[in-house]
Amino acid sequence: MPKIRAAKLSRVHNNIEKQGILFNTNIGQHILKNPLIIQKIVEKAAIRPTDVVLEIGPGTGNMTVKMLEKSKKVIACEVDTRMVAELQKRVQGTENRSKLQVIIGDVFVKCLTWREGLRCAVLMFQREFAERLVAKPGDKLYCRLSVNTQLLARVDILMKVGKNNFKPPPKVESSVVRLEPRNPPPPINYQEWDGLTRIAFVRKNKTLSAAFKQTAVLTLLEKNFKLHCSLNDKPIPEELDMKKMVDDILQKAQAEDTRARSMDMDDFIRILHAFNSAGIHFS
């Protein structure tokens, strides 16, 4: 069976080449050609017969046809009209044709807001980017992307995919990642969270005390503090010393010598609460 599938995929690519269609690597057109890898990804996605699958960048449809067999419907989003034509030609006359909906255009940004009804996302990234998503405190690749992603979703690397499994081969290796949104999401103000982590990770190897000593940071926090006082009808101290306020908060939280590289989600939530409780905000 694998040999038959490989032959079918090869014919698809050969037909495209005969038509003079060149893959545009500038927009990530590296078509996954290995049928075993495709089958493995579809299996790990654990698609249910009741699922509506959103596929971003179906290309020539190698994975699309597999997902059509397992799902209720596949919505395929493709920016390249040449690939759309190939995909439609490929499913034309098949029993699964009615289960395919094609959207021409880039809807990836919209997809990020489709939280309701999203059970999970299975995505392929450059390997280093994928490793940043799952990195833990203390890891070399641990960064703001790591903690922000893990705040909102459970993240796992499902498998590695070598560059020779693509046509044309990309310059880097890839990994397949599964993201499952946390439901319900953590009960925190994400803008506040983002502001705090942005400050902490500017220099992730520096202590929080050093990170908060920057003039731009203190100026922002003082402005936000005065706004908070004004909105809540609280008096602004005559001799406001924001640096001392920040130092006192960090000391009470026993976090002045803590570094972002070693902080987990609970650490950031605890420190965010300490600042907010004192009337200091990050957004």
Side-chain angles (χ1 to χ4, degrees):
M1 181 64 78
K3 290 183 179 180
I4 295 175
R5 290 173 183 164
K8 288 182 178 179
L9 295 186
S10 178
R11 285 199 297 272
V12 171
H13 291 300
N14 289 339
N15 289 338
I16 291 175
E17 289 179 350
K18 287 178 181 179
Q19 296 174 45
I21 298 177
L22 300 177
F23 295 116
N24 186 350
T25 57
N26 291 329
I27 59 172
Q29 281 186 346
H30 300 278
I31 307 299
L32 187 58
K33 65 179 182 178
N34 187 329
L36 296 179
I37 297 292
I38 292 170
Q39 185 65 34
K40 195 172 182 180
I41 292 174
V42 173
E43 289 173 356
K44 286 184 176 293
I47 299 172
R48 303 169 183 170
T50 55
D51 283 341
V52 175
V53 179
L54 177 66
E55 183 182 19
I56 301 172
T60 56
N62 295 340
M63 192 173 297
T64 314
V65 293
K66 294 297 175 188
M67 295 191 295
L68 283 170
E69 295 172 0
K70 293 182 173 291
S71 65
K72 177 181 179 181
K73 181 179 182 180
V74 173
I75 302 173
C77 306
E78 176 61 66
V79 297
D80 192 332
T81 54
R82 303 171 304 167
M83 299 300 164
V84 170
E86 288 299 319
L87 174 59
Q88 291 176 328
K89 185 189 303 181
R90 189 166 183 177
V91 299
Q92 188 176 10
T94 68
E95 60 181 5
N96 290 322
R97 174 64 189 91
S98 60
K99 296 165 64 176
L100 175 66
Q101 177 185 349
V102 178
I103 298 177
I104 302 176
D106 186 356
V107 298
F108 185 71
V109 175
K110 292 181 182 180
C111 295
L112 296 178
T113 64
W114 292 357
R115 186 178 189 89
E116 291 187 10
L118 178 63
R119 181 163 60 85
C120 73
V122 178
L123 304 167
M124 187 179 295
F125 296 114
Q126 291 184 8
R127 187 162 301 168
E128 183 174 315
F129 183 87
E131 290 173 350
R132 289 182 185 276
L133 293 178
V134 300
K136 301 299 181 184
D139 292 349
K140 182 180 179 181
L141 293 177
Y142 187 65
C143 60
R144 192 162 66 94
L145 174 66
S146 312
V147 71
N148 284 355
T149 302
Q150 292 168 35
L151 173 75
L152 300 175
R154 297 176 182 85
V155 193
D156 297 290
I157 291 182
L158 298 181
M159 58 189 293
K160 296 178 179 179
V161 183
K163 54 189 176 183
N164 290 331
N165 291 293
F166 298 87
K167 184 173 184 178
K171 295 180 180 179
V172 296
E173 306 291 345
S174 302
S175 290
V176 178
V177 174
R178 185 179 191 274
L179 294 97
E180 181 182 345
R182 297 188 185 277
N183 192 16
I188 64 171
N189 183 316
Y190 184 75
Q191 289 183 317
E192 289 282 308
W193 168 276
D194 188 58
L196 170 61
T197 57
R198 192 179 296 273
I199 293 170
F201 277 101
V202 167
R203 294 288 185 274
K204 70 176 183 178
N205 294 324
K206 284 191 174 184
T207 63
L208 289 186
S209 180
F212 277 91
K213 282 181 180 177
Q214 300 176 73
T215 302
V217 173
L218 292 173
T219 300
L220 172 65
L221 297 186
E222 181 173 329
K223 177 183 176 182
N224 289 348
F225 177 73
K226 290 179 177 178
L227 178 61
H228 170 79
C229 290
S230 175
L231 293 175
N232 291 276
D233 197 24
K234 293 182 178 181
I236 299 174
E238 293 184 4
E239 296 183 2
L240 178 60
D241 188 339
M242 182 52 60
K243 182 179 180 304
K244 186 177 185 308
M245 284 187 67
V246 168
D247 287 342
D248 288 346
I249 292 170
L250 291 175
Q251 287 176 10
K252 288 180 182 178
Q254 298 182 332
E256 66 268 30
D257 294 325
T258 303
R259 291 169 169 78
R261 70 184 182 193
S262 62
M263 295 172 61
D264 61 18
M265 285 189 294
D266 291 338
D267 292 327
F268 280 109
I269 291 174
R270 177 172 57 84
I271 292 170
L272 178 61
H273 178 71
F275 274 99
N276 287 172
S277 295
I280 296 179
H281 295 269
F282 299 90
S283 64

